[in-house]
Amino acid sequence: MRQFYRKFHMKRDKKQKIAFITGVTGQDGSYLAELLLRKNYEVHGMVRRSSTFNTTRIDHLYKDPHKKGVNLFLHYGDVTDSNTVYKLLGEIRPDEIYNLAAQSHVRVSFDLPEYTVNTVAIGTLRLLEVIRDLKLESRFYQASSSEMFGDAKPPQSEWTPFQPRSPYAAAKVLAHQLVGVYRDAYGIFACGGILFNHESPRRGETFLTRKVTLGVANILAKKQDKLYLGNMDAKRDWGFAPEYVRAMWMMMQKKKADDFVIATGESHSVSEFVELAFGLVGLNWKRFVKIDQKYFRPTEVDFLQGDFSKAKKILGWKPKVKFEELVKIMLNSDLKKVGLSLKIN
Ligand code: NAP
Ligand code: F7E
């Protein structure tokens, strides 16, 4: 993939900004790439080698690099591979780096703690060290998470102390704190976006919201008869992913690097999400949902609700899509995906 880039980079409009995204194939990476391409950035995405296609979320953005006007370049890489990170950043010298790569599943982080810490925490350290070593002037965005708050009493803000409850959350705390250290010690423009849960039709199918909306669609299409879930009592502050990646970009345009909570300020339980999603298509969830202990976590985060007043004041950011609309957007997309013509208004 890289050789194409070298050839075309020389022709770049010098005023055009260059962004580098780790995790470009993920939910947020794909929306962020779309946003930056709309803003005329030259976008470089790091893609992991996989034996099956892992680029489905960005396939619609990809153009043959031999053609003119191509602004998206993909490079094989991995945040656990320092050498490649070093080479890529040295060659691309981006204006903005968005570090979204992660083993991002909280439940899975209990099964794969070492790998999770390696990608989430040490992966972040690798990028920061390369910026420092190469003396890059790149701005850096870190995908921090509301999971870092863990047991802390809601509403959680930038001033709430972290009380992580999983290997994933502990790794995100370390990464977030390293960002602060590198900002203060070396003057690197590094932001920590503390994003609460954000969802979309592109959400991975094993996360709660998508598992439910796809499950409802499959049940209605008679492709599935039961939906197995874990803890129904946990509460989350669920927002809409495209609005959250816009907040990432807004942080990176400010004069001063800082940390921001991005949330809706509303919280709903898993059972409320389930009841609404089934109810919207006229089904009683109690007939279809079964509890399976396998989906419980050894330690749970019970109640997340974000206070985004700092982002509202300093960035001028606020969410538009709230809970019910989010469920409808995801459900409509999954109804279509399974081949049903039903549309929820
Ligand atoms: P996601 O859909 O799981 O995407 C994760 C991305 O990271 C994918 O592109 C994945 O590649 C890539 N990745 C995983 N391991 C990697 C490695 N070792 N090297 C390079 N790339 C690797 O996650 P998301 O929901 O878009 O979230 C984006 C970031 O925000 C993550 O850091 C997540 O922890 C954080 N976050 C998410 C939320 C949320 O609610 N979505 C909230 C707060 C923070 P493959 O496609 O090949 O798997
Ligand atoms: O779980 C409960 C589960 O896996 C939400 C990641 O993007 O957001 C995400 O982490 C809740 C939890 O997201 C099932 O126990 C019940 O209480 O969708 P989730 P998460 O753990 O909140 C944060 C902000 C991130 O940073 C992460 O990267 O739903 N739950 N039954 C279930 N969860 C799943 N996945 N599957 C179930 O069957």
Side-chain angles (χ1 to χ4, degrees):
M1 295 184 188
R2 275 207 352 250
Q3 62 277 26
F4 290 126
Y5 166 61
R6 280 209 187 92
K7 191 169 156 197
F8 289 96
H9 190 50
M10 312 307 291
K11 296 179 185 166
R12 189 174 63 85
D13 164 5
K14 293 284 181 233
K15 275 188 254 151
Q16 190 179 23
K17 276 198 188 170
I18 306 179
F20 180 76
I21 306 176
T22 71
V24 72
T25 56
Q27 169 188 256
D28 291 5
S30 66
Y31 285 119
L32 180 66
E34 267 172 20
L35 176 81
L36 298 179
L37 289 169
R38 277 202 304 275
K39 291 186 181 295
N40 193 36
Y41 276 62
E42 181 179 292
V43 177
H44 293 263
M46 183 196 263
V47 177
R48 292 197 290 176
R49 151 75 188 142
S50 150
S51 67
T52 51
F53 292 116
N54 59 354
T55 55
T56 45
R57 292 184 179 108
I58 51 169
D59 282 346
H60 62 293
L61 301 175
Y62 189 75
K63 288 187 191 144
D64 180 348
H66 297 94
K67 301 231 165 92
K68 274 194 185 158
V70 170
N71 277 328
L72 175 66
F73 299 90
L74 300 178
H75 311 266
Y76 282 123
D78 196 300
V79 289
T80 60
D81 180 349
S82 310
N83 221 348
T84 315
V85 171
Y86 196 92
K87 279 196 263 181
L88 284 175
L89 289 183
E91 190 180 316
I92 298 165
R93 305 189 89 82
D95 299 294
E96 296 171 14
I97 298 170
Y98 294 86
N99 181 29
L100 310 185
Q103 188 305 90
S104 72
H105 203 286
V106 175
R107 174 68 194 83
V108 173
S109 78
F110 288 96
D111 300 332
L112 302 176
E114 185 179 333
Y115 179 69
T116 303
V117 172
N118 194 5
T119 55
V120 171
I122 313 298
T124 305
L125 181 64
R126 288 184 185 99
L127 287 156
L128 290 168
E129 267 296 281
V130 172
I131 295 173
R132 185 175 77 89
D133 193 66
L134 291 174
K135 299 186 176 49
L136 297 179
E137 286 181 12
S138 315
R139 293 182 164 210
F140 185 82
Y141 173 86
Q142 170 60 15
S144 295
S145 164
S146 54
E147 279 294 301
M148 301 189 305
F149 295 123
D151 253 356
K153 210 168 144 257
Q156 295 96 358
S157 74
E158 295 81 359
W159 291 274
T160 306
F162 301 133
Q163 296 182 43
R165 301 271 285 166
S166 63
Y168 168 80
K172 282 286 183 191
V173 171
L174 175 55
H176 184 78
Q177 290 177 338
L178 286 167
V179 165
V181 169
Y182 275 62
R183 183 164 61 209
D184 296 344
Y186 306 117
I188 294 174
F189 185 105
C191 300
I194 308 174
L195 273 52
F196 281 62
N197 298 54
H198 45 281
E199 319 292 315
S200 74
R202 294 188 200 164
R203 183 57 137 157
E205 292 171 16
T206 61
F207 293 94
L208 185 274
T209 55
R210 190 71 204 292
K211 186 171 168 183
V212 172
T213 57
L214 189 57
V216 169
N218 275 328
I219 286 169
L220 210 60
K222 308 239 175 307
K223 295 180 180 175
Q224 185 177 332
D225 56 2
K226 290 278 178 275
L227 179 62
Y228 292 93
L229 297 176
N231 180 9
M232 302 282 286
D233 298 327
K235 289 181 153 183
R236 290 291 182 274
D237 179 331
W238 279 295
F240 188 42
E243 296 184 347
Y244 284 47
V245 302
R246 196 164 155 267
M248 296 176 186
W249 176 80
M250 289 170 97
M251 286 175 215
M252 295 282 269
Q253 311 313 308
K254 294 308 285 185
K255 238 189 174 143
K256 188 172 157 280
D258 207 346
D259 299 333
F260 292 94
V261 159
I262 300 296
T264 69
E266 272 184 27
S267 189
H268 296 271
S269 64
V270 169
S271 55
E272 279 176 80
F273 192 102
V274 170
E275 189 174 353
L276 179 60
F278 276 89
L280 284 169
V281 296
L283 296 177
N284 179 355
W285 68 275
K286 289 186 176 150
R287 280 187 53 216
F288 302 97
V289 173
K290 297 279 168 229
I291 301 301
D292 185 337
Q293 290 303 320
K294 171 168 102 181
Y295 298 114
F296 282 74
R297 290 128 198 232
T299 39
E300 176 64 278
V301 170
D302 294 321
F303 193 169
L304 291 176
Q305 182 173 9
D307 170 357
F308 65 93
S309 34
K310 181 176 169 188
K312 191 174 174 193
K313 185 166 169 232
I314 298 177
L315 304 177
W317 181 90
K318 63 175 198 258
K320 291 194 192 81
V321 175
K322 295 292 183 67
F323 185 62
E324 188 165 341
E325 193 186 346
L326 175 67
V327 179
K328 285 180 183 166
I329 292 171
M330 294 180 70
L331 195 53
N332 276 327
S333 165
D334 281 327
L335 290 170
K336 196 168 164 201
K337 186 181 161 87
V338 302
L340 294 172
S341 53
L342 178 68
K343 191 165 184 306
I344 312 297
N345 292 308

